[in-house]
Amino acid sequence: MTELLIFGALTGFVSGYFGVGGGMVLVPMLLYYGFDMKQAVAISIVQMVFSSTYGSFLNAKKSVGVLKDGLLLGIGGFIGGLQSGFIVSNVSTKSLEYLFLSLVAFAIIRIFVSNVHEEQIQEEKSRLTLLLIGFIIGMLAMSIGIGGSIMLTPVLLGFMKYNLKTATSLSLFFVIFSSVAGLISMSYNGQMLLNEGITVGIASLIGVYFGIKLKQNTHVVSYKKYILILYILILASMINKSVF
């Protein structure tokens, strides 16, 4: 129980600071603690409902101005996330681990080559395109216990020209939709561990608060470096756990 509370607080801080659901941090910790991949995914999804909702509430006070795109992406993510229970039930644990590794590697490359720039005037985006992006990210991300921000942030930064902090805020908002859908789907398919998930989720709220406070005071260039460091550490951890 104590370990789960510590994991929750640490995950919440990372979630608030980096604008992620926290699954890419929590899943490796739970694997090292002794849970298998599917159990770790279940606990992670519950935690993400807590951290993403509270974190987005705090971010809303800064009025990032991306509500319209966020809702479209979120609706797509919700529909995609509903497919996760089926995927987890029918795909091997090893395949899910390799999918996790692939997505983290993609995010590292995409963020590394992207420029950190001020937000530009946005062209009107196709609603269907935003919904489709959300659907694909929600479906894949919930199947491996992450909220989708690790995939969405590079897309927003590299292709939609949001600045980095706005992209991470929008990505955390997206996680609300995908994680709630994942919770419903996993519960329906009998994959959920609610008690452990709620314990971690409640503890994460404290970390989220301090993570967002620190994010607001971090220079954007340094912020990009910290995100890359985080993703590289997670990738190395998962390679060590899954491959060796």
Side-chain angles (χ1 to χ4, degrees):
M1 176 68 74
T2 301
E3 289 84 358
L4 292 179
L5 291 173
I6 294 173
F7 291 168
L10 291 173
T11 302
F13 178 83
V14 171
S15 177
Y17 186 72
F18 293 103
V20 299
M24 62 179 185
V25 174
L26 182 58
V27 167
M29 288 194 294
L30 292 173
L31 290 175
Y32 276 105
Y33 187 59
F35 291 97
D36 66 32
M37 183 66 179
K38 293 184 178 181
Q39 291 173 327
V41 168
I43 295 171
S44 176
I45 287 175
V46 180
Q47 176 273 323
M48 281 187 283
V49 174
F50 282 82
S51 62
S52 62
T53 301
Y54 183 52
S56 294
F57 168 75
L58 295 176
N59 281 327
K61 295 180 179 180
K62 302 296 291 183
S63 186
V64 295
V66 290
L67 182 60
K68 180 180 177 182
D69 286 357
L71 286 174
L72 290 169
L73 290 165
I75 291 170
F78 182 84
I79 298 171
L82 289 175
Q83 318 308 311
S84 62
F86 174 80
I87 294 173
V88 169
S89 298
N90 292 279
V91 177
S92 70
T93 295
K94 185 59 66 174
S95 295
L96 292 176
E97 290 179 355
Y98 284 129
L99 177 59
F100 190 111
L101 290 171
S102 299
L103 295 181
V104 176
F106 163 77
I108 290 171
I109 295 170
R110 185 67 251 178
I111 291 177
F112 180 78
V113 301
S114 297
N115 292 322
V116 180
H117 47 65
E118 293 300 316
E119 191 165 331
Q120 301 174 4
I121 296 175
Q122 305 291 304
E123 296 180 0
E124 187 71 18
K125 299 297 189 301
S126 165
R127 293 182 178 182
L128 180 60
T129 299
L130 291 171
L131 287 169
L132 183 60
I133 291 172
F135 175 81
I136 294 173
I137 292 176
M139 179 176 62
L140 295 177
M142 282 295 98
S143 299
I144 55 175
I146 63 175
S149 58
I150 191 172
M151 302 170 66
L152 184 57
T153 295
V155 171
L156 296 178
L157 179 65
F159 300 111
M160 298 178 69
K161 306 307 180 183
Y162 287 99
N163 70 47
L164 185 55
K165 289 188 178 182
T166 300
T168 55
S169 294
L170 178 53
S171 294
L172 186 60
F173 181 67
F174 168 85
V175 173
I176 297 176
F177 294 83
S178 60
S179 61
V180 169
L183 176 62
I184 294 171
S185 182
M186 295 284 282
S187 298
Y188 179 78
N189 286 275
Q191 299 283 344
M192 190 52 61
L193 296 176
L194 281 177
N195 290 336
E196 293 86 347
I198 290 173
T199 298
V200 174
I202 292 175
S204 74
L205 299 180
I206 299 173
V208 168
Y209 176 82
F210 288 104
I212 288 180
K213 285 288 187 182
L214 182 61
K215 170 186 172 180
Q216 294 169 356
N217 295 308
T218 303
H219 189 276
V220 68
V221 175
S222 298
Y223 189 58
K224 174 181 176 178
K225 293 178 183 177
Y226 298 150
I227 286 181
L228 286 172
I229 290 171
L230 172 69
Y231 284 15
I232 291 170
L233 288 174
I234 291 169
L235 181 63
S237 173
M238 285 300 296
I239 289 175
N240 181 62
K241 179 65 178 179
S242 301
V243 178
F244 298 105

